[in-house]
Amino acid sequence: MTECIMQKMTWKEFQSKKDKVLILPVGSTEQHGPHLPLSVDTVIAEKIALKFAKQIDGIVAPSICYGYKSKPLSGGGPLFPGTIDLNGVTLMNIVEDVLEEFIKDGLTKIFILNAHFENEAFILESVDIVSKRHPEVTIIESNWWDVLSQNIIDKVFDIIPFPGWAFEHAAITETSLMMYLAPELVREELMSDENGAAPVPYAKYPIVNGMVPESGVLAPAISSSAEKGKLMTDEAISAFIDIVNKEYR
């Protein structure tokens, strides 16, 4: 898949592919419990992007590996060492600048593959700003969880009930995706079976110790598997291909 990785291309090779779909992975650097690395969101975005690009003969851009800060009950917030958060305006500026550079180079089909729950509003704000300047460029933003069918969700949550996407942090879906996409980074022996946190219908600040379980895990990861990770990956890529075929005819 080297031919689709932008970092490995010369400038002439990149220039020759400007009519292709460029995929920009966006993730985060954030705690994901004792069994997963800080890079989970970025790794998932990159690995799915590579498989996706191979199917459509696209280009995978260098990832944006820092994201917007999580709320305590959808990622842990700033309570854990190694979580490196951006302010919303910083993420917006990064996305806007990167998009402008790609457009300057002649790309007109850009697909942003986001894998960090809290990033989306800021990504879309930047996309809206850029799109008003460049209506000739079609920019799509999507993520792996919104394109999953109920059938796949039922298969993934065959033992433990689905807790909602905010609580699926370092739990079954992300753990299964990592077991399939980057098994060497998963510490299976440290997977948590604790129930994690209890949802509340509000957000409270300042963020203090005790708002998040000490493990950083919001829901159990038990019953995760590489097979479930493959199910989700395959369905996400199939959905992305359908989107590309529809929107970049």
Side-chain angles (χ1 to χ4, degrees), residues 9 32 42 52 79 107 118 203 243:
M9 296 177 185
H32 279 78
T42 306
F52 175 31
L79 298 174
L107 288 137
E118 282 80 10
I243 292 167

Side-chain angles (χ1 to χ4, degrees), residues 34-82:
H35 66 293
L36 295 175
L38 298 163
S39 59
V40 163
D41 294 342
T42 306
V43 169
I44 290 173
E46 285 181 348
K47 296 288 187 179
I48 293 178
L50 286 168
K51 290 178 178 293
F52 175 31
K54 187 177 181 182
Q55 294 290 320
I56 64 169
D57 189 25
I59 306 167
V60 179
S63 299
I64 297 175
C65 66
Y66 297 106
Y68 180 65
K69 55 188 77 104
S70 294
K71 293 185 293 185
L73 294 184
S74 65
L79 298 174
F80 296 84

Side-chain angles (χ1 to χ4, degrees), residues 178-218:
M178 290 295 287
M179 291 172 82
Y180 172 58
L181 297 168
E184 72 281 2
L185 298 179
V186 181
R187 289 77 162 170
E188 290 190 47
E189 72 281 4
L190 298 178
M191 282 170 50
S192 174
D193 60 354
E194 64 183 73
N195 288 327
V200 296
Y202 58 87
K204 177 185 173 183
Y205 290 80
I207 299 170
V208 297
N209 288 332
M211 285 184 168
V212 182
E214 289 186 8
S215 68
V217 177
L218 300 178

Side-chain angles (χ1 to χ4, degrees), residues 71-93:
K71 293 185 293 185
L73 294 184
S74 65
L79 298 174
F80 296 84
T83 297
I84 310 300
D85 292 324
L86 299 179
N87 290 325
V89 69
T90 306
L91 178 59
M92 285 171 52
N93 287 338

